[in-house]
Amino acid sequence: MGMKTKIALGAVVGLVVIGAVSANTGDDGTGSADKGTSASADRQSGGAKDAGADAGQSSEKAEKTEKAEKKLSQTEQFKAFVEENGTAQEKAAVSHVTKVQGADEQNDILDTADIYTDFTGGLMGEGSGPAKLVASAFADWKQSENGLVTVYDADGELLGNGQF
């Protein structure tokens, strides 16, 4: 092969690799419902009419629950999740949460979320133990490749943090 052919072949292979990588880094099912949850369900069903109808019904249910969650604030969503899935200790700790910020948009590069509570006393106060439970419950609610959740007391002092 000539030098021009090798360069052209290398360029084509490079474009194919870039295309494959960008296609695989797309929607992994954790994004918004607009990105095509029903389209991916239709692709998985093989286009059969009965399977497509079932996938359409399940995607409608997913969209309804997602719309209902979007109407609630991040704090209300978090508390509802813990109320449904948390332990008794987590439920008690999360009852002190007053505000959640940064939980709605994630990019898996550097995700941060802040949780504010009504505990007092800072790191050495009464809320440092429950702050670990709050951070743990948050990690159960949201997942990220590289996320950090920070829990603050009523005065804005750091109580604890954790990865999610």
Side-chain angles (χ1 to χ4, degrees):
M1 277 205 265
M3 184 58 120
K4 290 182 182 179
T5 308
K6 287 182 182 180
I7 292 173
L9 184 60
V12 170
V13 169
L15 290 174
V16 169
V17 169
I18 290 172
V21 168
S22 65
N24 286 333
T25 60
D27 185 27
D28 60 350
T30 60
S32 67
D34 323 348
K35 289 189 178 181
T37 54
S38 62
S40 63
D42 289 340
R43 277 187 253 128
Q44 290 174 356
S45 69
K49 288 185 179 181
D50 293 336
D54 292 340
Q57 290 174 352
S58 63
S59 67
E60 287 176 12
K61 289 179 185 177
E63 287 179 20
K64 286 180 183 178
T65 57
E66 193 163 316
K67 284 181 183 178
E69 284 182 358
K70 285 187 179 184
K71 290 180 183 178
L72 298 175
S73 71
Q74 293 177 41
T75 307
E76 293 167 335
Q77 291 175 30
F78 177 51
K79 285 184 173 185
F81 173 83
V82 173
E83 190 62 37
E84 185 176 322
N85 302 307
T87 65
Q89 293 86 4
E90 287 175 337
K91 290 175 185 177
V94 170
S95 68
H96 293 275
V97 171
T98 58
K99 185 176 185 180
V100 177
Q101 285 183 310
D104 54 351
E105 292 190 24
Q106 297 179 353
N107 60 10
D108 285 341
I109 295 172
L110 181 59
D111 297 324
T112 59
D114 298 323
I115 299 177
Y116 298 91
T117 65
D118 60 3
F119 292 116
T120 57
L123 195 55
M124 301 303 288
E126 67 185 49
S128 62
K132 293 180 191 282
L133 289 170
V134 170
S136 173
F138 186 87
D140 290 341
W141 181 47
K142 295 286 185 175
Q143 287 80 35
S144 172
E145 295 283 325
N146 191 22
L148 178 69
V149 59
T150 307
V151 182
Y152 298 97
D153 72 358
D155 296 327
E157 293 183 38
L158 178 73
L159 286 178
N161 58 18
Q163 294 179 338
F164 69 95

